[in-house]
Short mmCIF file of all heavy atoms in Angstrom, two decimals:
data_model
loop_
_atom_site.label_atom_id
_atom_site.label_comp_id
_atom_site.label_asym_id
_atom_site.label_seq_id
_atom_site.Cartn_x
_atom_site.Cartn_y
_atom_site.Cartn_z
N PHE C 227 9.21 -13.26 -13.43
CA PHE C 227 8.83 -11.99 -14.04
C PHE C 227 9.97 -10.97 -14.02
O PHE C 227 10.79 -10.95 -13.11
CB PHE C 227 7.61 -11.43 -13.28
CG PHE C 227 7.09 -10.14 -13.77
CD1 PHE C 227 6.52 -10.02 -15.03
CD2 PHE C 227 7.15 -9.00 -12.97
CE1 PHE C 227 6.01 -8.81 -15.48
CE2 PHE C 227 6.65 -7.80 -13.40
CZ PHE C 227 6.08 -7.70 -14.66
N GLN C 228 10.00 -10.11 -15.05
CA GLN C 228 10.92 -8.97 -15.09
C GLN C 228 10.10 -7.76 -15.52
O GLN C 228 9.58 -7.70 -16.63
CB GLN C 228 12.07 -9.21 -16.07
CG GLN C 228 12.96 -8.02 -16.32
CD GLN C 228 13.60 -7.48 -15.04
OE1 GLN C 228 13.91 -8.25 -14.15
NE2 GLN C 228 13.80 -6.18 -14.95
N PRO C 229 9.97 -6.74 -14.64
CA PRO C 229 9.07 -5.62 -14.94
C PRO C 229 9.56 -4.62 -15.96
O PRO C 229 8.84 -3.71 -16.32
CB PRO C 229 8.90 -4.96 -13.56
CG PRO C 229 10.15 -5.29 -12.83
CD PRO C 229 10.55 -6.65 -13.30
N GLY C 230 10.78 -4.71 -16.45
CA GLY C 230 11.28 -3.73 -17.42
C GLY C 230 11.95 -2.58 -16.72
O GLY C 230 12.26 -2.63 -15.52
N ASN C 231 12.20 -1.49 -17.43
CA ASN C 231 12.92 -0.33 -16.89
C ASN C 231 11.99 0.56 -16.07
O ASN C 231 11.68 1.68 -16.43
CB ASN C 231 13.55 0.49 -18.03
CG ASN C 231 14.75 -0.22 -18.63
OD1 ASN C 231 15.24 -1.19 -18.07
ND2 ASN C 231 15.21 0.26 -19.76
N ILE C 232 11.52 0.02 -14.96
CA ILE C 232 10.71 0.79 -14.02
C ILE C 232 11.27 0.53 -12.63
O ILE C 232 12.26 -0.18 -12.47
CB ILE C 232 9.22 0.39 -14.09
CG1 ILE C 232 9.06 -1.09 -13.70
CG2 ILE C 232 8.65 0.63 -15.46
CD1 ILE C 232 7.62 -1.51 -13.61
N ASP C 233 10.65 1.10 -11.64
CA ASP C 233 11.09 0.91 -10.26
C ASP C 233 10.80 -0.53 -9.84
O ASP C 233 9.67 -0.89 -9.52
CB ASP C 233 10.35 1.89 -9.35
CG ASP C 233 10.91 1.88 -7.93
OD1 ASP C 233 11.62 0.92 -7.58
OD2 ASP C 233 10.65 2.84 -7.19
N THR C 234 11.84 -1.38 -9.88
CA THR C 234 11.66 -2.80 -9.58
C THR C 234 11.17 -3.01 -8.16
O THR C 234 10.34 -3.88 -7.89
CB THR C 234 12.97 -3.56 -9.81
OG1 THR C 234 13.42 -3.32 -11.15
CG2 THR C 234 12.76 -5.05 -9.63
N ALA C 235 11.70 -2.22 -7.23
CA ALA C 235 11.28 -2.37 -5.83
C ALA C 235 9.79 -2.12 -5.67
O ALA C 235 9.09 -2.84 -4.97
CB ALA C 235 12.08 -1.41 -4.95
N LYS C 236 9.30 -1.07 -6.35
CA LYS C 236 7.86 -0.78 -6.29
C LYS C 236 7.06 -1.90 -6.94
O LYS C 236 5.98 -2.28 -6.45
CB LYS C 236 7.56 0.54 -6.98
CG LYS C 236 6.09 0.97 -6.88
CD LYS C 236 5.87 2.31 -7.56
CE LYS C 236 4.42 2.76 -7.38
NZ LYS C 236 3.46 1.78 -7.90
N ALA C 237 7.57 -2.42 -8.05
CA ALA C 237 6.86 -3.51 -8.72
C ALA C 237 6.75 -4.72 -7.81
O ALA C 237 5.73 -5.41 -7.81
CB ALA C 237 7.58 -3.87 -10.01
N LYS C 238 7.78 -4.98 -7.03
CA LYS C 238 7.74 -6.12 -6.12
C LYS C 238 6.73 -5.88 -5.01
O LYS C 238 6.06 -6.81 -4.55
CB LYS C 238 9.13 -6.38 -5.55
CG LYS C 238 10.12 -6.89 -6.60
CD LYS C 238 11.49 -7.12 -6.00
CE LYS C 238 12.48 -7.62 -7.05
NZ LYS C 238 13.82 -7.85 -6.49
N GLN C 239 6.62 -4.65 -4.54
CA GLN C 239 5.64 -4.33 -3.50
C GLN C 239 4.23 -4.50 -4.01
O GLN C 239 3.32 -4.89 -3.27
CB GLN C 239 5.85 -2.90 -3.01
CG GLN C 239 7.14 -2.70 -2.22
CD GLN C 239 7.35 -1.25 -1.84
OE1 GLN C 239 6.54 -0.38 -2.16
NE2 GLN C 239 8.43 -0.98 -1.13
N ASP C 240 4.04 -4.19 -5.31
CA ASP C 240 2.70 -4.28 -5.89
C ASP C 240 2.33 -5.69 -6.31
O ASP C 240 1.20 -5.94 -6.73
CB ASP C 240 2.59 -3.35 -7.10
CG ASP C 240 2.73 -1.89 -6.71
OD1 ASP C 240 2.52 -1.59 -5.51
OD2 ASP C 240 3.05 -1.07 -7.58
N ALA C 241 3.29 -6.60 -6.24
CA ALA C 241 3.06 -7.98 -6.70
C ALA C 241 2.35 -8.79 -5.62
O ALA C 241 2.95 -9.58 -4.92
CB ALA C 241 4.38 -8.64 -7.10
N ASP C 242 1.06 -8.56 -5.47
CA ASP C 242 0.30 -9.23 -4.44
C ASP C 242 -0.12 -10.64 -4.87
O ASP C 242 -0.33 -11.51 -4.03
CB ASP C 242 -0.95 -8.42 -4.09
CG ASP C 242 -0.59 -7.08 -3.47
OD1 ASP C 242 0.47 -7.01 -2.81
OD2 ASP C 242 -1.35 -6.11 -3.67
N LEU C 243 -0.26 -10.84 -6.17
CA LEU C 243 -0.72 -12.13 -6.65
C LEU C 243 0.40 -13.16 -6.60
O LEU C 243 1.56 -12.85 -6.88
CB LEU C 243 -1.23 -12.01 -8.10
CG LEU C 243 -2.42 -11.07 -8.30
CD1 LEU C 243 -2.75 -10.98 -9.78
CD2 LEU C 243 -3.63 -11.54 -7.52
N PRO C 244 0.10 -14.40 -6.24
CA PRO C 244 1.13 -15.44 -6.20
C PRO C 244 1.83 -15.62 -7.54
O PRO C 244 3.00 -15.95 -7.60
CB PRO C 244 0.33 -16.70 -5.83
CG PRO C 244 -0.88 -16.19 -5.13
CD PRO C 244 -1.21 -14.87 -5.78
N ASP C 245 1.11 -15.35 -8.64
CA ASP C 245 1.70 -15.51 -9.97
C ASP C 245 2.84 -14.54 -10.21
O ASP C 245 3.71 -14.78 -11.04
CB ASP C 245 0.61 -15.30 -11.03
CG ASP C 245 1.11 -15.58 -12.43
OD1 ASP C 245 1.75 -16.63 -12.63
OD2 ASP C 245 0.88 -14.75 -13.31
N ASN C 246 2.89 -13.44 -9.47
CA ASN C 246 3.90 -12.41 -9.71
C ASN C 246 4.99 -12.38 -8.64
O ASN C 246 5.77 -11.45 -8.59
CB ASN C 246 3.23 -11.02 -9.74
CG ASN C 246 2.44 -10.81 -11.02
OD1 ASN C 246 2.68 -11.50 -11.99
ND2 ASN C 246 1.51 -9.88 -11.01
N LYS C 247 5.05 -13.36 -7.78
CA LYS C 247 5.98 -13.28 -6.66
C LYS C 247 7.41 -13.68 -7.01
O LYS C 247 8.31 -13.46 -6.22
CB LYS C 247 5.48 -14.11 -5.49
CG LYS C 247 5.56 -15.61 -5.71
CD LYS C 247 5.08 -16.35 -4.46
CE LYS C 247 5.17 -17.85 -4.62
NZ LYS C 247 4.70 -18.56 -3.41
N PHE C 248 7.63 -14.25 -8.21
CA PHE C 248 8.97 -14.66 -8.61
C PHE C 248 9.56 -13.60 -9.55
O PHE C 248 8.98 -13.30 -10.59
CB PHE C 248 8.95 -16.02 -9.32
CG PHE C 248 8.53 -17.15 -8.43
CD1 PHE C 248 7.26 -17.68 -8.51
CD2 PHE C 248 9.42 -17.69 -7.50
CE1 PHE C 248 6.87 -18.72 -7.69
CE2 PHE C 248 9.04 -18.73 -6.67
CZ PHE C 248 7.75 -19.25 -6.77
N PHE C 249 10.72 -13.04 -9.15
CA PHE C 249 11.40 -12.06 -9.97
C PHE C 249 12.74 -12.60 -10.43
O PHE C 249 13.43 -13.33 -9.69
CB PHE C 249 11.60 -10.74 -9.20
CG PHE C 249 10.34 -9.96 -9.02
CD1 PHE C 249 9.46 -10.23 -7.99
CD2 PHE C 249 10.01 -8.96 -9.93
CE1 PHE C 249 8.29 -9.52 -7.84
CE2 PHE C 249 8.83 -8.24 -9.78
CZ PHE C 249 7.97 -8.52 -8.73
N MET C 250 13.12 -12.25 -11.65
CA MET C 250 14.29 -12.84 -12.28
C MET C 250 15.56 -12.67 -11.46
O MET C 250 16.37 -13.60 -11.37
CB MET C 250 14.49 -12.25 -13.68
CG MET C 250 13.42 -12.63 -14.69
SD MET C 250 13.83 -11.99 -16.34
CE MET C 250 12.33 -12.35 -17.23
N ASP C 251 15.76 -11.48 -10.89
CA ASP C 251 17.01 -11.24 -10.17
C ASP C 251 17.09 -11.98 -8.84
O ASP C 251 18.14 -12.05 -8.23
CB ASP C 251 17.21 -9.73 -9.95
CG ASP C 251 16.10 -9.11 -9.11
OD1 ASP C 251 15.00 -9.71 -9.04
OD2 ASP C 251 16.33 -8.05 -8.52
N GLU C 252 15.98 -12.58 -8.41
CA GLU C 252 15.96 -13.33 -7.16
C GLU C 252 15.96 -14.84 -7.39
O GLU C 252 16.06 -15.61 -6.42
CB GLU C 252 14.72 -12.96 -6.34
CG GLU C 252 14.68 -11.50 -5.93
CD GLU C 252 13.40 -11.16 -5.20
OE1 GLU C 252 12.44 -11.96 -5.27
OE2 GLU C 252 13.33 -10.07 -4.58
N CYS C 253 15.85 -15.27 -8.64
CA CYS C 253 15.70 -16.69 -8.95
C CYS C 253 16.97 -17.27 -9.56
O CYS C 253 17.33 -16.92 -10.71
CB CYS C 253 14.52 -16.90 -9.89
SG CYS C 253 12.93 -16.41 -9.18
#
């Protein structure tokens, strides 16, 4: 997932579902 031009750190904190735990900059 890539959340777009928003606070990426906050988006990662809000990603509680297993489907959202992979972020592009970490993969």
Side-chain angles (χ1 to χ4, degrees):
F227 180 66
Q228 172 59 34
N231 287 348
I232 62 174
D233 188 343
T234 305
K236 184 179 183 302
K238 292 179 180 180
Q239 291 176 359
D240 295 340
D242 296 329
L243 299 176
D245 185 48
N246 287 340
K247 71 178 181 180
F248 294 103
F249 286 84
M250 292 185 188
D251 61 338
E252 298 176 345
C253 297

